[in-house]
């Protein structure tokens, strides 16, 4: 890869199958485009010892030459074009014909202009990413695309909540019976919703299982996945996870490859570049994007009044927290003044309308739930109990619930009027998702009222708070107001 090519040098990219593309010529440029330093590389023993330079190369040497994930074709083309290289594209794949007859002949819903344009872009592009805010109809776009393609399709997700929700919605949107893999079920059909963890678990096997049984389960899984000609990743930013990537690689006949997400990434910073490459590698480039502000203009979601509460961080006895985990324990989970403030706030809000408090740590949620005397929903709560709680919440019989991070994806509670973000954290995409849970429009609701806290204690938490604050400042759909604890008390009177 060290040989330099002139801008006039000939090159070609051969799309050999649905997974890989091979580049002939300009390999050194492709390697530049497809290299990144992963998050935390500096802590790797291999990097510290000098055995590894800290760089991951997605361009791999194979028998046929230098290959890369085919979803990055447009990314590589754009990178080469800027450097004066225009490769010939040779597509050796065979496009599948529509064969499935069980899908409805007519759309089950009326799509708005944005949604229709997204469907057309997906079908024309044959692979790609759709970034739409929570509540603006990603599942509608997904269902209509699947209905029109009429090929065997698998939809991958990462939580039980999403699994059941997608199962119900896709049956409604496509008119077809939907199979299910995950949450104890193995019922694949022509259209199937699956948890990627369940598939990965079968593919890699278990150490406590007999090798023959592992092989049988792996063979069965590979045979099942080989049927699908379309693969869809919901909450597609998870495709950067190795377990999700393993499943995408086990779908050799998935000609159509799509991802849907409410959390767009940017390619400027190194960690965002990593996400971009790993997500687009298996699903293709962004083909449709709708900003949060544009989503508000569609009328499907409402704007947010975001209040950030500034309070006095408690002084700690003894030595200061040593690391991030200890800071979270000291300044969030066990911060009595902060927790008392959250409890008074949540109690007052719940008397005015449906309120959800979101936490990151289970211990924190348990403490708040105990003091507020309200249910705490987290991953270990049985599905039947969760559904009973949400049903009471939707019916207005319960106005306050504490939720763990399982509420970040798939939770559909449009009637939420007040949202309390109690867990801190720096991940902006989580904040976008959490706010999106409450921004869905319903009759009688014109705004979401949300609260966050300006965590100033410790070394890490202030940086995380400032990251969230920048998100609130730059998004036009959020109206940001900073409050002192005194201001908050007066506001709640």
């Amino acid at each position: 890869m060290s040989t330099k090519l002139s801008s006039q040098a000939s090159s070609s990219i051969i799309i050999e199958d649905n997974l890989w593309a091979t580049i002939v010529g300009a390999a050194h440029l492709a390697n530049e485009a497809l290299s990144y330093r992963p998050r935390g590389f500096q802590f790797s023993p291999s990097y510290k010892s000098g055995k590894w330079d800290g760089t991951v190369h997605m361009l791999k040497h194979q028998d046929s030459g230098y290959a890369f994930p085919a979803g990055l074709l447009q990314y590589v083309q754009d990178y080469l074009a800027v450097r004066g290289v225009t490769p010939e594209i040779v597509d050796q794949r065979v496009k599948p014909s529509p064969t499935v007859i069980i899908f409805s002949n007519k759309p089950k819903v009326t799509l708005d202009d944005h949604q229709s344009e997204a469907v057309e872009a997906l079908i024309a592009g044959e692979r790609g990413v759709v970034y739409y805010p929570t509540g603006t109809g990603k599942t509608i776009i997904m269902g209509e695309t699947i209905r029109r393609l009429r090929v065997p399709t698998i939809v991958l997700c990462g939580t039980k909540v999403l699994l059941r929700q997608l199962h119900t919605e896709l049956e409604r949107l496509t008119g077809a019976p939907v199979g299910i893999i995950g949450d104890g079920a193995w019922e694949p059909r022509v259209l199937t919703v699956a948890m990627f963890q369940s598939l990965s678990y079968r593919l890699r096997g278990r150490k406590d299982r007999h090798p023959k049984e592992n092989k049988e389960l792996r063979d069965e899984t590979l045979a099942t996945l080989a049927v699908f000609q379309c693969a869809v990743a919901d909450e597609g930013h998870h495709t950067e996870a190795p377990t999700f990537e393993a499943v995408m690689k086990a779908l050799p006949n998935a000609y159509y490859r799509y991802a849907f997400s409410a959390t767009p990434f940017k390619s400027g910073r190194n960690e965002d570049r990593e996400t971009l490459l790993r997500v687009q590698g298996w699903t293709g480039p962004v083909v449709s994007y709708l900003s949060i502000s544009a989503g508000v203009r569609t009328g499907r979601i409402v704007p947010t009044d975001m209040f950030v509460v500034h309070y006095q961080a408690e002084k700690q006895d003894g030595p200061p927290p040593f690391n991030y985990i200890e800071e979270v324990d000291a300044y969030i989970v066990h911060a009595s003044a902060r927790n008392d403030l959250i409890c008074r706030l949540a109690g007052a809000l719940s008397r005015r309308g449906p309120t959800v408090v979101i936490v990151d740590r289970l211990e924190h949620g348990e403490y708040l739930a105990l003091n507020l005397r309200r249910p705490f929903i987290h991953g270990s709560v049985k599905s039947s109990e969760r559904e009973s709680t949400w049903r009471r919440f939707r019916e207005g019989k319960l106005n306050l619930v504490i939720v763990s991070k399982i509420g970040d994806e798939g939770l559909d509670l449009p009637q939420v009027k007040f949202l309390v973000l109690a867990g801190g954290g720096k991940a902006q995409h989580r904040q976008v998702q959490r706010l999106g849970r409450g921004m869905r429009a319903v009759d009688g609701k014109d705004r979401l009222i949300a609260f966050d806290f300006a965590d100033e204690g410790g070394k890490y938490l202030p940086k995380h708070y400032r990251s969230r604050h920048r998100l609130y400042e730059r998004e036009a759909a959020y109206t940001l107001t900073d409050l002192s604890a005194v201001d908050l008390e007066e506001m709640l009177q």
Side-chain angles (χ1 to χ4, degrees):
M1 286 189 211
S2 61
T3 304
K4 296 292 183 181
L5 292 176
S6 72
S7 61
Q8 303 301 317
S10 62
S11 62
S12 61
I13 297 178
I14 304 168
I15 309 174
E16 299 176 326
D17 52 38
N18 295 314
L19 294 174
W20 300 101
T22 300
I23 186 166
V24 180
H28 70 286
L29 291 177
N31 184 54
E32 290 177 4
L34 299 171
S35 298
Y36 66 90
R37 284 190 156 184
R39 288 180 286 272
F41 74 92
Q42 66 271 30
F43 303 115
S44 166
S46 297
Y47 176 76
K48 290 182 177 180
S49 66
K51 295 180 180 179
W52 175 49
D53 66 356
T55 303
V56 172
H57 303 274
M58 296 192 73
L59 188 68
K60 307 294 184 183
H61 187 267
Q62 298 183 352
D63 293 340
S64 56
Y66 289 107
F68 59 88
L72 292 169
L73 173 63
Q74 187 62 57
Y75 182 82
V76 172
Q77 281 185 278
D78 292 344
Y79 191 92
L80 296 181
V82 172
R83 289 149 184 82
V85 178
T86 305
E88 177 189 6
I89 307 299
V90 181
D91 193 344
Q92 297 180 343
R93 299 174 301 158
V94 178
K95 184 175 181 178
S97 300
T99 56
V100 180
I101 62 174
I102 58 175
F103 294 124
S104 171
N105 288 322
K106 295 181 179 180
K108 295 290 185 177
V109 295
T110 300
L111 281 70
D112 63 26
D113 291 343
H114 286 289
Q115 294 166 341
S116 296
E117 290 170 4
V119 172
E120 296 298 336
L122 287 170
I123 293 175
E126 299 176 347
R127 59 174 79 207
V129 180
V130 169
Y131 281 120
Y132 269 47
T134 300
T136 55
K138 295 193 303 296
T139 308
I140 291 174
I141 296 168
M142 182 191 303
E144 179 62 9
T145 302
I146 294 169
R147 187 193 70 81
R148 287 180 54 181
L149 287 177
R150 296 181 178 277
V151 298
T153 299
I154 186 167
V155 179
L156 302 168
C157 65
T159 67
K160 296 177 183 179
V161 173
L162 267 178
L163 182 78
R164 298 298 176 178
Q165 182 176 307
L166 285 168
H167 182 268
T168 300
E169 283 297 289
L170 290 177
E171 281 196 339
R172 179 179 71 89
L173 293 168
T174 66
V178 177
I180 190 166
I181 294 175
D183 196 17
W186 179 266
E187 302 168 5
R189 291 184 174 180
V190 173
L191 173 57
T192 297
V193 178
M195 288 182 65
F196 72 88
Q197 298 96 327
S198 300
L199 293 168
S200 176
Y201 190 65
R202 279 173 152 252
L203 289 171
R204 71 174 184 267
R206 272 175 39 179
K207 292 182 180 179
D208 61 344
R209 185 184 287 146
H210 192 281
K212 182 179 179 181
E213 186 179 358
N214 277 333
K215 183 179 184 304
E216 290 174 349
L217 286 174
R218 176 178 172 82
D219 289 346
E220 179 186 32
T221 303
L222 289 172
T224 298
L225 295 179
V227 170
F228 298 110
Q229 296 174 327
C230 177
V232 180
D234 196 20
E235 299 299 345
H237 48 280
H238 289 310
T239 54
E240 66 174 313
T243 47
F244 215 145
E245 183 176 302
V247 174
M248 297 299 283
K249 287 181 178 178
L251 288 157
N253 297 315
Y255 181 93
Y256 300 100
R257 291 171 175 263
Y258 305 124
F260 291 77
S261 182
T263 56
F265 45 73
K266 297 178 176 63
S267 57
R269 291 161 45 189
N270 184 69
E271 59 266 31
D272 291 322
R273 177 181 171 85
E274 175 183 1
T275 302
L276 182 150
L277 292 175
R278 293 180 69 88
V279 170
Q280 293 191 10
W282 309 112
T283 60
V286 176
V287 297
S288 185
Y289 171 72
L290 187 71
S291 69
I292 297 175
S293 298
V296 170
R297 290 194 292 273
T298 68
R300 293 181 177 272
I301 58 177
V302 298
T304 295
D305 286 338
M306 169 56 67
F307 295 93
V308 175
V309 181
H310 295 255
Y311 65 98
Q312 184 66 44
E314 297 177 51
K315 293 183 179 180
Q316 299 296 308
D317 296 330
F322 177 72
N323 54 31
Y324 171 66
I325 293 177
E326 289 187 1
E327 281 193 11
V328 172
D329 281 337
Y331 295 116
I332 292 182
V333 176
H334 298 115
S336 57
R338 186 182 190 273
N339 286 332
D340 289 346
L341 189 62
I342 290 172
C343 288
R344 292 200 305 275
L345 171 62
L349 294 176
S350 67
R351 290 190 286 273
R352 303 181 185 185
T355 303
V356 170
V357 179
I358 300 183
V359 299
D360 274 8
R361 299 275 290 274
L362 291 179
E363 187 179 358
H364 194 203
E366 289 168 351
Y367 175 87
L368 295 176
L370 178 64
N371 281 271
L372 287 166
R373 299 181 181 180
R374 292 295 185 274
F376 175 37
I377 302 300
H378 53 88
S380 299
V381 175
K382 294 180 180 179
S383 297
S384 58
E385 185 178 340
R386 285 204 302 265
E387 283 307 311
S388 174
T389 299
W390 295 135
R391 184 172 59 254
R392 291 167 58 208
F393 191 86
R394 294 186 184 101
E395 293 173 351
K397 298 176 181 177
L398 178 66
N399 250 17
L400 175 59
V401 180
I402 297 88
V403 188
S404 74
K405 289 187 289 188
I406 66 167
D408 289 353
E409 296 172 5
L411 189 61
D412 185 15
L413 294 173
Q415 66 272 56
V416 173
K417 290 187 176 181
F418 303 104
L419 193 64
V420 180
L421 305 173
K426 72 172 182 178
Q428 293 189 358
H429 72 276
R430 286 198 181 278
Q431 300 304 104
V432 170
Q433 287 179 317
R434 290 168 179 177
L435 291 168
R437 299 277 75 89
M439 291 177 69
R440 297 176 190 268
V442 293
D443 290 342
K445 173 182 170 182
D446 58 5
R447 309 189 74 78
L448 169 71
I449 309 298
F451 291 83
D452 196 353
F453 298 86
D455 299 313
E456 296 291 358
K459 174 183 176 182
Y460 301 98
L461 298 187
K463 296 178 182 178
H464 295 177
Y465 150 66
R466 288 192 288 272
S467 175
R468 302 196 305 272
H469 201 273
R470 286 193 295 272
L471 166 68
Y472 306 146
E473 284 182 315
R474 70 169 181 260
E475 175 50 59
Y478 306 153
T479 299
L480 176 63
T481 302
D482 289 284
L483 296 176
S484 69
V486 174
D487 293 333
L488 179 63
E489 295 288 358
E490 292 178 355
M491 181 179 180
L492 295 178
Q493 288 179 0

